[in-house]
Amino acid sequence: MDVSENLLNQIKQVKSLAEAGLVFNKENYDAERYEELRTLALEMMSILSDKPVAQLKGFFVPETDYPTAKVDVRGLILNEQNQVLLVQETVDNKWTLPGGWADVGLTPTENVLKEIEEETGFKAEVIRLLAVLDKRNYPHPPQPHYVYKLCFLCKIQEGSFDPNFDIGGVDWFDMNTLPELSADRILEEQLVKLVKIAQEDNPVYFD
């Protein structure tokens, strides 16, 4: 992890502490100081990410409870040739495992199956949890949120390709001929790790 990534993670922690203070000290004289601390964190984040403060503020919903990590769910699907199913994001035309942010009110299993169906058109089933990854531990591009990734082994039951507006393509790929991956969503080292766990029936990996 380079200096800028390490600093960004520390800024996220400062911002989280400031928001926790705002949640639990709404009527306290410290609230103004917590708000100033949160503003400073966003300004430092702006310098590191080269994004305006106003845009960064738009990334965040005002906290009404103790701030926690966001959860990203991803589904690994392999065919009989051990090819991996990837989807092409229209936002960058790069490829990733089907998945996305976990919705409140759905279980992790329900979330990943919903994402798979919405992004590919396929109905699937979850076989097992493969890994719980902390994005901080991998060389993803800098981003404002602190994220855990829940990665599941899944199997297609039925359906045909019918993507939503976010997805431009769905295809199977050999692990030695992967397309350009969407680095914000999945990295090759993570994909290799997940496939190895699935094929060798290894225990769940967690950071």
Side-chain angles (χ1 to χ4, degrees), residues 103-107 110-111:
D103 289 335
V104 173
L106 298 180
T107 67
E110 291 170 337
N111 266 300

Side-chain angles (χ1 to χ4, degrees), residues 57-68:
K57 284 183 177 179
F59 279 119
F60 303 105
V61 176
E63 295 289 349
T64 57
D65 201 349
Y66 192 87
T68 62

Side-chain angles (χ1 to χ4, degrees), residues 55-80:
Q55 182 178 345
L56 288 173
K57 284 183 177 179
F59 279 119
F60 303 105
V61 176
E63 295 289 349
T64 57
D65 201 349
Y66 192 87
T68 62
K70 289 180 69 68
V71 178
D72 176 35
V73 294
R74 296 286 159 180
L76 176 74
I77 301 174
L78 300 170
N79 63 15
E80 294 180 354

Side-chain angles (χ1 to χ4, degrees), residues 18 22 28-40:
L22 287 168
N28 190 289
Y29 69 91
D30 285 331
E32 183 178 347
R33 292 173 175 81
Y34 285 124
E35 183 59 46
E36 290 176 357
L37 189 59
R38 180 179 183 273
T39 298
L40 285 171

Side-chain angles (χ1 to χ4, degrees), residues 71-77 85-92 94-103 110-124 149 154 156 158-171 182 185-186:
V71 178
D72 176 35
V73 294
R74 296 286 159 180
L76 176 74
I77 301 174
L85 185 71
L86 298 178
V87 297
Q88 187 179 35
E89 295 277 350
T90 55
V91 68
D92 58 10
K94 298 176 184 178
W95 296 78
T96 183
L97 293 176
W101 296 125
D103 289 335
E110 291 170 337
N111 266 300
V112 73
L113 294 181
K114 177 181 74 70
E115 289 291 331
I116 290 172
E117 184 171 5
E118 287 180 354
E119 294 190 350
T120 71
F122 297 118
K123 292 185 181 296
K149 299 176 71 67
C154 301
I156 291 176
E158 62 182 0
S160 58
F161 176 46
D162 183 23
N164 64 20
F165 65 92
D166 290 327
I167 302 300
V170 177
D171 209 344
S182 182
R185 296 165 179 82
I186 196 71

